[in-house]
Each structure stands twice: as C-alpha cells, then as structure tokens.
Amino acid sequence: MAELQQRLQALSEEYQKAEQELQQHIQSRQRLEAQLQENKQVKKEFSGLDDDANIYKLVGPVLLKQDRKESMLAVDGRLEFIDKEIKRFEKQIKEAQEKSDKLKMEIIQVQSQAQPEQGAQA
Amino acid sequence: MSSPKGQTIDLASLSTQQLSQVKKQLDDELEHLTNSFTQLRAAQAKFRECLRSISTGVTPKAGDKPILVPLTTSLYVPGTLADKENVIVDVGTGFYVEKSTKDATKFYEGKISELGANLKDLETIVQGKSNNLRVVEDVLRQKVLASSAAPTKA
C-alpha cells in the first residue's frame, strides 16, 4: 500500500511538472501569435506606402531613417522566423500534451489499484 | 479553445463534480475574454486620443501659436511646431512612418474601426459564453437541490 502511495506521489509530481511545462509552451505560443499579428499589420502598412515614404526604426531612444525595401525585407524575415518558431512550439505543445496525458492515465491506473476495496463497494 | 466542436453532451447526465468543472472552465474563459475586451477598449481609446491630438494640435489652423512641450511631468518648455503637415506614426514592431495628417487620420480611423469590429465579435462570443455559463449554473443548482432533497436515494 505504502509503495503504491509513494508511486502515486511521484507520478502526480511529475504530472504537475508536465502540466507546468505545457502551460509555458502555450504562453510562448500566444506571445508568438501576438508578434505575428503585429508584424502582419506592419507588412500591410508598408505595402500600402509610396516608394518615397519616410520610414524610421526605433533604435534605443532614437528614430533612425530606414530604406523602405530594407524595412520590408526585415519584416518578411521576421515573419518567416516567427512562422518557424510557431511550428516548433506547436510540436513541443503536442509532445507536452501527450506526455501529460500519458501521466494522467498512469495516475488513474495506480489510483484504481490503490483503492480496490472502495471500487468494490461502489 | 481546444474543446472539440459539434459534440453535444446532455448536461443533466453529468455529475455535480463534472458540472462544477465545466463551470470553472467557463468562468476562466469568460474572465479571459472580458480581460481581452477591456484591453481592446483601452487600445481603441488610445487611438481616439491620437486622432483628437492630430485634429486639435497638428493643423495649419494652429498657426504659429507656441506650445508647451513637457520635458518631465512637471517641467515644460515653450516651442512651436516645425511641421504642421506631417506626423510620424508608430505602425508597430519599432517601425515609424512619416505620414501627412490626412493619411495619419485615415490610419487611426482604420485602426479604430478594425478594433470596433473585433470588439463586436468578442461581444457576441462573451454573450454566448455567459449564456452557456448560466445554463450550466442552472443545471448545477437543480442537481444540488435534488441531491440535498433526497440524500437517501443516492
């Protein structure tokens, strides 16, 4: 009985850790989504600009003038990077989800083993 | 968010425990959505403020009237606008674009209406969720009442 308890304890600790990891990944994914949306907005804004429009970039506290083409390239580069990051995190989220599901099943199994009398009563 | 769609479960068939879990989930979702709603509102107000600043501050009508420029919250220096036709607009991710006041106004109006559409969408979602929540709460209450009225039956 004590053995089972111990195993249950270890499992639930592991499960909690897995859930925390999952939450962290989900948060990162949300942050990326926000960045993606913002960059998309900027891209849209840039594509509607004239060729001779003045574009500045915030570097530290000062605004530096930027070339339109270069700025567009920079935004495209960012979008590409964010897309890749999102794919990476999606994979991690899936893995973390599977891990926590597996642990959950194990916990349920051990729990039903730990309380066979109660199960018989009900 | 991740719950599968198109799957209907009779609420009455769920246990009180399951029902309270559903209720908790709905509560969380609703809180999250309401927070987003407030944030959108705040963003919209900020854009409105920008619009107002352009229309009252940066117009040829303002003439050469001196303005007071805040250096800190309590220290101001007098100055005049060097350029009354153009403003520099933050378009996001650290990029700023010089725009004529007309284009800037258009830009901010676009942002405001975009946010307005988002707010409307969000409102319908919030309403749907609160309806769901109400139904779940009703069923839960009935369950609790029924089980406390007839405890021996269980």
Side-chain angles (χ1 to χ4, degrees):
Chain A
M1 202 62 189
E3 221 173 278
L4 275 175
Q5 280 293 347
Q6 226 164 35
R7 215 174 130 215
L8 197 61
Q9 177 106 24
L11 272 176
S12 52
E13 260 166 38
E14 213 176 321
Y15 175 66
Q16 255 166 22
K17 233 168 42 201
E19 279 287 288
Q20 246 169 36
E21 213 174 292
L22 181 62
Q23 284 305 323
Q24 257 167 24
H25 287 329
I26 289 175
Q27 259 170 29
S28 312
R29 172 73 178 81
Q30 277 171 346
R31 244 194 329 269
L32 280 171
E33 184 65 34
Q35 282 173 0
L36 180 71
Q37 291 304 330
E38 196 178 351
N39 275 290
K40 270 190 188 159
Q41 291 272 334
V42 176
K43 189 181 159 77
K44 205 177 98 198
E45 187 57 33
F46 278 175
S47 58
L49 286 177
D50 293 334
D51 276 328
D52 57 348
N54 288 329
I55 295 175
Y56 302 86
K57 190 169 183 273
L58 191 68
V59 182
V62 293
L63 291 176
L64 285 182
K65 197 160 173 180
Q66 298 275 308
D67 192 58
R68 177 168 173 265
K69 259 205 200 106
E70 264 172 44
S71 313
M72 287 189 82
L73 277 178
V75 173
D76 280 340
R78 279 195 213 161
L79 280 172
E80 206 177 306
F81 174 76
I82 292 170
D83 264 338
K84 263 194 216 140
E85 284 290 285
I86 285 182
K87 285 213 185 84
R88 195 166 70 88
F89 271 98
E90 292 267 304
K91 214 175 123 215
Q92 282 188 345
I93 287 174
K94 220 180 118 205
E95 277 167 13
Q97 183 91 57
E98 273 163 16
K99 194 175 153 201
S100 102
D101 280 351
K102 220 177 102 201
L103 281 170
K104 202 166 153 188
M105 291 309 286
E106 264 182 73
I107 288 175
I108 292 172
Q109 225 173 22
V110 174
Q111 251 174 354
S112 59
Q113 263 173 22
Q115 315 165 312
E117 320 89 280
Q118 270 193 348
Q121 261 175 15
Chain B
M1 256 175 275
S2 56
S3 58
K5 280 260 166 73
Q7 189 184 342
T8 48
I9 295 170
D10 186 13
L11 280 176
S13 70
L14 294 174
S15 69
T16 13
Q17 209 188 358
Q18 282 169 320
L19 271 174
S20 12
Q21 241 165 43
V22 173
K23 178 172 145 27
K24 196 181 160 289
Q25 201 185 333
L26 278 173
D27 272 334
D28 286 349
E29 277 177 36
L30 204 59
E31 196 190 304
H32 180 78
L33 289 174
T34 330
N35 275 343
S36 310
F37 192 83
T38 338
Q39 272 169 20
L40 280 183
R41 261 282 161 74
Q44 209 186 21
K46 232 183 251 170
F47 286 135
R48 283 226 174 85
E49 184 62 22
C50 292
L51 261 187
R52 208 181 56 82
S53 300
I54 289 178
S55 68
T56 56
V58 196
T59 54
K61 262 191 300 177
D64 290 325
K65 266 190 263 172
I67 53 172
L68 288 170
V69 186
L71 291 186
T72 70
T73 44
S74 56
L75 175 66
Y76 294 79
V77 291
T80 48
L81 281 177
D83 187 347
K84 294 183 204 76
E85 257 104 63
N86 294 303
V87 286
I88 294 176
V89 176
D90 184 355
V91 291
T93 68
F95 280 114
Y96 289 70
V97 176
E98 190 171 303
K99 284 175 177 295
S100 67
T101 47
K102 214 181 88 201
D103 282 348
T105 311
K106 229 192 290 172
F107 173 81
Y108 284 126
E109 270 165 359
K111 288 266 178 211
I112 289 173
S113 62
E114 209 175 296
L115 284 179
N118 284 346
L119 276 168
K120 226 168 150 190
D121 287 349
L122 197 54
E123 206 182 330
T124 43
I125 294 174
V126 168
Q127 257 163 19
K129 287 273 176 213
S130 359
N131 275 339
N132 288 351
L133 186 62
R134 220 172 14 246
V135 172
V136 171
E137 271 173 347
D138 272 350
V139 177
L140 186 59
R141 205 172 303 129
Q142 276 164 20
K143 283 249 169 184
V144 171
L145 279 177
S147 66
S148 63
T152 45
K153 230 170 113 184

